[in-house]
Amino acid sequence: MNIIITGASRGIGYATARAFLSVPGHQVIAVARNGKALATLADACTEGSRVILMEYDLTTPPDDLAASAGKIFDSLDILINNAGYLVNKPFTELERGDYLRSMEVNFLAPAFLIRALLPLLERSDIRHVVNISSMGGVQGSAKFPGLAAYSASKAALNNLTELLGVELAEKKIRVNALAPGSADTEMLRAAFPGYEAPVTAEEMAGFIFSFATTAWKVISGKVIPVALTVT
Ligand SMILES: NC(=O)c1ccc[n+]([C@@H]2O[C@H](COP(=O)([O-])OP(=O)(O)OC[C@H]3O[C@@H](n4cnc5c(N)ncnc54)[C@H](OP(=O)(O)O)[C@@H]3O)[C@@H](O)[C@H]2O)c1
């Protein structure tokens, strides 16, 4: 399979890229700003799998990324929009820039990347887009003070997922979102120092891998909570 994973330099995206690369025959374009960290993915390659490193800031237009991907892949089977930005600040201290950056990385980047990659997705028999959202953006879930900008941007991503499940159905492109609860990564440790996540990045990645490779046959337009808590 041909896969693009954003935010593959650390945390859940890094572990997900490694999960794909450990299976022969997978070609993964790994996207993030930190090229040095991306380069360490090479040692996860097994016989017949390949990683292509793409240093890219997803707050810039995705045209160059899509053009490069089109030169590397004949078709794109799975796009995993995993890169994320979290700002944890009281509502009264959040600035306009905090909201803008949250929306840029967590909502606009996936939206425009999906659009730029549609022609490549349409050449695949699989055509699965998996947006990595958050429980914080799920309607009715327990909310955490300080995450107003983050959770609202993830809610926007969830809504986009449901909408594209319908709008892209005629192209047979399946669009789903996974909404993790908490996984032990730099993002979580920085936002909630001292909190012990019940799930490792590798465990979360294992689930993302299984979902991305199988769910396209039966699910589209859904936002799926991936959490051990009930709400
Ligand atoms: N960990 C959790 O408990 C948890 C819970 C719910 C949802 N999530 C979601 O899961 C996803 C992964 O989270 P994580 O915990 O693994 O986060 P992380 O450890 O902070 O990793 C974030 C990744 O996103 C990349 N990234 C951020 N801004 C970027 C930009 N402008 N351009 C390109 N890449 C960018 C980072 O790479 P560079 O810095 O190298 O660019 C990094 O690879 C996120 O969408 C997050 O919201 C996580």
Side-chain angles (χ1 to χ4, degrees):
M1 284 187 189
N2 295 339
I3 304 108
I4 295 179
I5 305 175
T6 69
S9 63
R10 61 176 188 267
I12 294 169
Y14 181 76
T16 305
R18 293 186 80 87
F20 274 98
L21 291 168
S22 69
V23 178
H26 285 160
Q27 300 199 81
V28 176
I29 295 181
V31 183
R33 291 165 300 180
N34 185 339
K36 215 169 161 186
L38 284 177
T40 67
L41 286 169
D43 68 22
C45 291
T46 189
E47 206 180 325
S49 72
R50 178 165 82 112
V51 63
I52 300 99
L53 312 176
M54 222 173 258
E55 263 183 72
Y56 210 88
D57 185 340
L58 291 158
T59 62
T60 61
D63 310 67
D64 290 348
L65 196 164
S68 304
K71 286 180 194 146
I72 297 161
F73 289 164
D74 296 335
S75 64
L76 175 62
D77 298 312
I78 298 171
L79 166 63
I80 302 182
N81 281 310
N82 164 82
Y85 171 73
L86 185 153
V87 53
N88 181 3
K89 271 189 197 174
F91 175 66
T92 49
E93 291 172 25
L94 278 170
E95 292 169 18
R96 189 178 172 78
D98 294 321
Y99 287 103
L100 290 176
R101 183 146 193 92
S102 302
M103 288 303 284
E104 221 176 4
V105 178
N106 298 338
F107 173 69
L108 293 173
F112 283 104
L113 189 57
I114 293 167
R115 190 171 84 174
L117 290 169
L118 284 179
L120 212 51
L121 280 161
E122 282 183 80
R123 280 186 226 132
S124 159
D125 292 332
I126 293 173
R127 310 177 186 202
H128 195 190
V129 176
V130 180
N131 295 322
I132 305 302
S133 177
S134 170
M135 275 301 280
V138 173
Q139 194 175 7
S141 67
K143 297 297 185 291
F144 290 88
L147 299 189
Y150 175 76
S151 296
S153 67
K154 292 294 191 177
L157 181 63
N158 290 347
N159 196 287
L160 178 76
T161 301
E162 292 183 349
L163 187 134
L164 292 183
V166 178
E167 191 163 332
L168 299 183
E170 64 178 21
K171 295 183 189 295
K172 292 193 165 45
I173 293 175
R174 316 300 184 201
V175 186
N176 290 298
L178 295 177
S182 53
D184 185 23
T185 67
E186 267 180 47
M187 177 187 278
L188 190 82
R189 286 193 288 270
F192 301 104
Y195 175 78
E196 280 187 30
V199 172
T200 65
E202 289 71 25
E203 286 164 340
M204 191 58 76
F207 181 78
I208 295 170
F209 171 83
S210 312
F211 182 86
T213 51
T214 58
W216 56 275
K217 293 176 192 157
V218 288
I219 304 174
S220 191
K222 302 297 187 295
V223 178
I224 297 160
V226 187
L228 291 168
T229 49
V230 177
T231 55

